[in-house]
Amino acid sequence: MTLFTLLLVLIIERLFKLGEHWQLDHRLEVVFRRVTRFSLTATLAMTLAVMLVVWLLLEALEGLFFNLPLLVVWILIGLLCIGAGVVRLHYHAYLKAASRDDSHARDAMASELTLIHGVPPDCDEREYLRELQNALLWINYRFYLAPLFWFVVGGEAGPVLVCGYAFLRAWQTWLARHHTPVERLRSGIDGVLHVVDWIPVRLVGVAYALIGHGEKALPAWFASLADRHTSQYHVLTQLAQFSLAQEPHLDKVKTPKAAVSMAKKATLVIVVVVALLTIYGTLV
């Protein structure tokens, strides 16, 4: 059921999911507004509570009406947790602004896309566009590849794990947008996601290494296996940049498009691998 649900979710997401309506991140804002104290304990407690609610829901629907309600819930959870939604609108707005040479609108949309990790101050145009590429690659990972990983490896508990991951993603974004760096640090969210992202980042890194220049990317990937301190963002984007080395880095439209194109290729490769593993019985 996992492969069928995943393919259906990706098709629906690509065709119909725009804006915030089907985004778990948006639905959780009503909860985040009520949080006034920030700590690692609170972050873990909220995440476990969300996962427990989803698990209880799945258990309650198990075996009812030939599992049709259960299938519907799997699909709804997948739609809420997988896909960028409103971020895709920001990306297209950036491209329109860049093509019109509207620097104000372009910078506003770039700020939205680089919200989590930001752009180094006083960087030149080439560095600015490279950081924008990195942000787009990371968005693809956060909203597509990482949820896909947890949805698949979780098996029957896939919806539980992907909801937990989506909650952590949404909490980090909310803190970055509405709270101070000190409050974000107290929440422990970056440390939790550093641990949670360790395995999927390296699996996705293999896809980027194989798509691009493997003679440079593969040694860097092997080195990352023993690296516990470098942020997962830098591990993933460094591997991806090896594949983007021959792409334009000075065109404000072509540069982000190159990153998105390669991210789509990596996503397709991983979906194909999941399908093959499912067909041969390795995955459920």
Side-chain angles (χ1 to χ4, degrees):
M1 187 167 74
T2 301
L3 178 60
F4 171 77
T5 304
L6 180 62
L7 293 176
L8 192 59
V9 165
L10 290 175
I11 291 171
I12 296 174
E13 189 277 336
R14 179 54 53 182
L15 294 177
F16 303 109
K17 185 175 178 179
L18 290 173
E20 298 177 331
H21 185 72
W22 286 99
Q23 198 79 35
L24 183 64
D25 307 55
H26 174 64
R27 298 299 174 184
L28 288 170
E29 289 181 2
V30 65
V31 176
F32 295 155
R33 291 192 190 102
R34 299 176 180 272
V35 180
T36 56
R37 295 185 179 181
F38 306 93
S39 67
L40 176 60
T41 301
T43 295
L44 294 177
M46 290 190 295
T47 306
L48 291 175
V50 168
M51 295 173 70
L52 178 61
V53 169
V54 175
W55 180 76
L56 291 174
L57 176 61
L58 297 180
E59 286 294 307
L61 295 176
E62 183 70 33
L64 290 178
F65 301 105
F66 307 101
N67 280 335
L68 286 178
L70 184 64
L71 176 60
V72 171
V73 170
W74 272 58
I75 294 172
L76 290 176
I77 289 175
L79 285 174
L80 288 169
C81 298
I82 300 174
V86 69
V87 182
R88 283 167 56 193
L89 297 181
H90 293 155
Y91 168 67
H92 291 300
Y94 168 88
L95 293 180
K96 289 181 180 178
S99 62
R100 299 195 308 265
D101 286 327
D102 186 343
S103 59
H104 179 72
R106 173 200 170 197
D107 291 343
M109 289 301 99
S111 296
E112 285 290 334
L113 295 171
T114 59
L115 176 67
I116 299 299
H117 295 93
V119 176
D122 302 324
C123 60
D124 59 25
E125 182 72 4
R126 183 182 181 87
E127 293 171 332
Y128 178 89
L129 291 174
R130 185 174 64 245
E131 289 303 320
L132 180 60
Q133 277 189 329
N134 290 339
L136 292 169
L137 292 165
W138 189 248
I139 287 170
N140 183 73
Y141 168 79
R142 268 280 188 257
F143 288 90
Y144 292 93
L145 299 177
L148 186 153
F149 171 82
W150 293 112
F151 197 77
V152 170
V153 301
E156 294 184 357
V160 177
L161 296 183
V162 77
C163 276
Y165 185 84
F167 179 89
L168 292 171
R169 176 189 70 201
W171 182 224
Q172 185 188 48
T173 303
W174 176 264
L175 290 169
R177 189 183 301 278
H178 298 285
H179 292 277
T180 66
V182 173
E183 290 170 326
R184 178 175 165 183
L185 181 63
R186 287 176 182 168
S187 73
I189 184 63
D190 293 339
V192 173
L193 281 170
H194 179 80
V195 175
V196 171
D197 284 323
W198 201 94
I199 293 176
V201 159
R202 279 147 186 84
L203 292 178
V204 173
V206 173
Y208 283 127
L210 295 177
I211 290 173
H213 301 285
E215 70 277 5
K216 294 182 178 179
L218 285 177
W221 181 81
F222 282 114
S224 74
L225 297 179
D227 188 347
R228 296 179 296 171
H229 303 291
T230 303
S231 72
Q232 310 305 347
Y233 171 82
H234 286 102
V235 170
L236 182 71
T237 55
Q238 180 190 33
L239 293 170
Q241 283 296 335
F242 284 121
S243 300
L244 289 167
Q246 296 181 343
E247 298 290 345
H249 278 78
L250 290 174
D251 189 294
K252 55 184 177 291
V253 174
K254 292 181 180 179
T255 299
K257 280 187 174 182
V260 171
S261 176
M262 194 182 69
K264 288 180 179 179
K265 291 178 183 178
T267 303
L268 178 60
V269 168
I270 291 174
V271 170
V272 170
V273 170
V274 169
L276 292 174
L277 291 175
T278 303
I279 291 172
Y280 286 101
T282 304
L283 297 174
V284 178

